[in-house]
Amino acid sequence: FIGSGAGLPRFMRIPGENLNGVYSANEFLTRINLMKAYLPDSSTPIHPGSKAVIVGGGNVAMDAARSAKRLGADVTIVYRRTEKELPARAEEVEHAMEEGIKFHFLTNPVEITSNENGWVKGIVCQKMELSEPDDSGRARPVAIPDSNFEIETDCVIMSIGTSPNPLIKSTTKGLETQKWGGIIADEETGLTSREGVYAGG
């Protein structure tokens, strides 16, 4: 039985994502909650920064934003659609706003910039406008030309979703998967395309 979940963080594949001070929300939340990486004597310290930008609009993005806020950062969430399309629960968004977290709607990052030491110093964003609905049924964001601006920050947390780890797919012959990597299994029995192999979750 395979129950591997979808724990591989997604990134935007924009310049600067490999800089010091860029985290996936998974790593950020795991390290501060389970590993106490915010403590001064931590062997693997985390750097929440004085200014943190969270990219994304789901519940995990709200968790990361509110956690960074509690660690002392001035926090901004950037989301490429409007508040109406936010996938996070309404109360999570409301609580984040009550805590003083700023929101930049219709905003999409295009580059993360660095200082001379290889640490994040800013995130360049592009203004967006909504167009016709996409496959998800939500209005599709379209970039507005010549609308780039930079937000000063020393920490960027990517929270744009997760995917199944590709290792199982790439090492198991005959195992059928969706194009995004999810294992195809019978809804009633859990049987996959491989005899004796089941999956679920």
Side-chain angles (χ1 to χ4, degrees), residues 11-185:
F11 286 87
M12 296 185 68
R13 298 179 182 174
I14 60 174
E17 279 186 313
N18 61 340
L19 292 170
N20 294 319
V22 179
Y23 303 95
S24 71
N26 294 40
E27 178 190 5
F28 184 78
L29 292 169
T30 298
R31 287 177 63 186
I32 63 173
N33 285 308
L34 299 180
M35 301 169 67
K36 309 292 188 225
Y38 54 85
L39 294 174
D41 60 349
S42 171
S43 58
T44 57
I46 204 158
H47 178 71
S50 59
K51 295 180 180 179
V53 170
I54 286 74
V55 180
N59 290 324
V60 175
M62 300 304 137
D63 288 346
R66 296 175 70 194
S67 296
K69 180 75 174 179
R70 291 186 184 105
L71 291 175
D74 178 36
V75 180
T76 301
I77 292 173
V78 297
Y79 180 61
R80 62 188 187 145
R81 293 183 170 96
T82 69
E83 183 177 353
K84 178 184 170 187
E85 285 85 23
L86 277 172
R89 291 169 41 222
E91 56 266 39
E92 288 272 2
V93 177
E94 184 181 325
H95 292 156
M97 289 179 172
E98 285 175 356
E99 289 184 42
I101 292 166
K102 298 184 285 289
F103 285 76
H104 276 289
F105 295 111
L106 292 171
T107 302
N108 199 43
V110 293
E111 182 183 0
I112 302 167
T113 59
S114 69
N115 63 21
E116 63 278 5
N117 298 317
W119 282 89
V120 171
K121 75 164 187 177
I123 185 165
V124 179
C125 297
Q126 193 171 43
K127 286 291 187 183
M128 311 294 282
E129 58 187 355
L130 296 183
S131 181
E132 297 300 314
D134 61 16
D135 294 340
S136 72
R138 293 180 296 171
R140 184 170 60 91
V142 178
I144 298 173
D146 303 318
S147 63
N148 287 15
F149 67 100
E150 186 166 358
I151 301 171
E152 183 183 336
T153 183
D154 49 3
C155 175
V156 173
I157 302 168
M158 291 291 180
S159 184
I160 57 173
T162 56
S163 302
N165 193 305
L167 185 62
I168 295 172
K169 179 178 82 169
S170 64
T171 59
T172 310
K173 290 181 181 177
L175 187 66
E176 291 183 7
T177 62
Q178 307 281 1
K179 65 179 182 179
W180 48 270
I183 298 169
I184 297 172

Side-chain angles (χ1 to χ4, degrees), residues 185-201:
D186 184 274
E187 287 192 19
E188 291 184 14
T189 66
L191 182 64
T192 70
S193 56
R194 285 281 300 262
E195 184 180 353
V197 178
Y198 297 79

